[in-house]
Amino acid sequence: AKAAGGSRLRFFEPAIAQKAQARLNLRNKLKRAIARREFVLHFQPIVAMATGAHVHYEALVRWNRPKALVQPAQFIEFAENEGLINHIGRQVFDMAFAQLRDWAGEGVPATMAVNVSRSQFLEEDFVEDLLARATRHGVAPSRMVLEITESLLITDSAAAKVVLARLIASGFRIAVDDFGVGYSSLSVLVEYPVQIVKLDKSLIRPLECDPRARAMVSGFIALFQSLGLEVVAEGVETAVQHEFLAAAGCNLGQGWLYGKPMPATPALAAASAMESR
Ligand code: C2E
Ligand code: CA
Ligand code: CA
Ligand code: CA
């Protein structure tokens, strides 16, 4: 058995070793990126369905490498698994608060939504740290929406409840992101004092061709509104989707139809052009 195992091991060893090496390489590159603060934020408008006015902006992180702008799908989950997301998250919050302060200085009273990973949310001093950063930048917490996922509220309910209550008491607003992905639980939205729910793009995409998707989405919108929640439809790409959602009473929309994620300053415009290629 040992001989057979040995030969099998020899056969698979190079692939495993390569994977481990690739993991280590990316980990080291990310750690260097954190030390050098190589991350930037792009901003995507969330618009009022009725008027098209920009109600707030979602901050979406990108890794600004010398020759490429790396999308979050390439490194966020990895950073979460490697215990590096909290470092990136703190830089994201500093950039977000700095941008809010700049906009306020330019007379733009914008609010901003920022994505928060599970391990950030459950970090011991998350709320204090966030408040300290807000104060340091002179930004009121009420200007910021924190986007968290349902799964966080389901799997870590006791701890999450305490953190949520403190964030809300501090003036932050909370959005439940990606509703409709995986194991959606309506009870979460009744039980927790969140203010905003975001319908995932996977619910919006089939609206044009699937009457059952239309029935489900208009039902969700009516239900959420009766609970006093603001509803954001994500991934709105077509006028047909927009018309349906607006008629169903959805207040807010986000998607390529209204605007793609964009850098906030002209200095980053070149990188943005690169990203869209
Ligand atoms: P998300 O929070 O669901 O963000 C929305 C994603 O949908 C963004 O992808 C956005 O570019 C994309 N999107 C917007 N409109 C449309 C549309 O009309 N059609 C389609 N097909 N896509 C659209 P992005 O920027 O690649 O971000 C991916 C995910 O990475 C985010 O999903 C979020 O979960 C995570 N993420 C981004 N920034 C951060 C961050 O600062 N911290 C953490 N923890 N996660 C982040
Ligand atoms: Ca989000
Ligand atoms: Ca989302
Ligand atoms: Ca997400």
Side-chain angles (χ1 to χ4, degrees):
K2 189 156 195 262
S7 68
R8 211 177 297 156
L9 241 179
R10 256 198 308 282
F11 183 71
F12 281 113
E13 233 168 37
I16 293 169
Q18 268 167 24
K19 265 196 176 161
Q21 191 57 50
R23 196 193 125 248
L24 207 63
N25 281 346
L26 181 55
R27 183 182 166 82
N28 286 333
K29 283 184 184 142
L30 259 185
K31 283 171 82 170
R32 215 176 309 138
I34 291 165
R36 294 179 182 166
R37 308 183 80 88
E38 286 178 352
F39 301 96
V40 296
L41 294 183
H42 282 191
F43 302 94
Q44 186 178 30
I46 295 171
V47 309
M49 285 264 177
T51 62
H54 293 185
V55 174
H56 57 260
Y57 294 88
E58 178 171 1
L60 295 157
V61 71
R62 277 91 181 89
W63 176 6
N64 194 11
R65 303 194 70 187
K67 284 185 179 135
L69 200 59
V70 186
Q71 300 291 308
Q74 313 279 335
F75 66 91
I76 288 288
E77 198 185 327
F78 183 85
E80 288 172 345
N81 295 336
E82 295 288 319
L84 297 172
I85 192 67
N86 293 14
H87 298 286
I88 298 173
R90 283 188 283 270
Q91 294 186 15
V92 163
F93 276 118
D94 277 339
M95 291 188 283
F97 285 127
Q99 188 60 60
L100 279 170
R101 183 200 49 209
D102 286 355
W103 278 336
E106 293 161 20
V108 183
T111 56
M112 191 186 293
V114 177
N115 293 283
V116 185
S117 291
R118 182 176 170 280
S119 76
Q120 292 175 264
F121 194 82
L122 298 175
E123 196 174 31
E124 194 71 63
D125 63 346
F126 176 65
V127 182
E128 290 75 15
D129 181 77
L130 201 54
L131 282 171
R133 283 172 208 278
T135 305
R136 202 179 311 141
H137 288 95
V139 173
S142 59
R143 304 269 300 287
M144 187 172 277
V145 175
L146 303 173
E147 298 197 354
I148 60 175
T149 57
E150 281 172 289
S151 60
L152 193 162
L153 297 178
I154 295 166
T155 53
D156 299 283
S157 53
K161 238 178 198 166
V162 175
V163 180
L164 262 190
R166 291 171 59 211
L167 287 170
I168 291 170
S170 305
F172 293 100
R173 287 188 298 151
I174 309 292
V176 169
D177 203 358
D178 302 342
F179 181 86
V181 162
Y183 211 61
S184 287
S185 164
L186 290 167
S187 65
V188 158
L189 296 169
V190 180
E191 198 180 336
Y192 293 89
V194 303
Q195 293 96 344
I196 301 165
V197 56
K198 300 186 78 175
L199 301 179
D200 190 70
K201 357 183 205 305
S202 61
L203 292 176
I204 307 306
R205 205 173 299 121
L207 283 180
E208 283 180 28
C209 52
D210 184 355
R212 288 163 51 117
R214 286 198 287 274
M216 194 164 71
V217 166
S218 55
F220 281 146
I221 291 168
L223 175 67
F224 293 149
Q225 287 183 339
S226 71
L227 292 169
L229 293 165
E230 283 184 57
V231 185
V232 181
E234 289 194 293
V236 181
E237 295 181 0
T238 70
V240 174
Q241 292 165 347
H242 168 89
E243 291 307 328
F244 173 81
L245 290 160
C250 188
N251 317 89
L252 303 168
Q254 178 179 6
W256 295 342
L257 182 67
Y258 314 111
K260 292 199 171 183
M262 294 279 286
T265 60
L268 289 173
S272 171
M274 206 156 65
E275 170 187 20
S276 60
R277 252 181 245 146

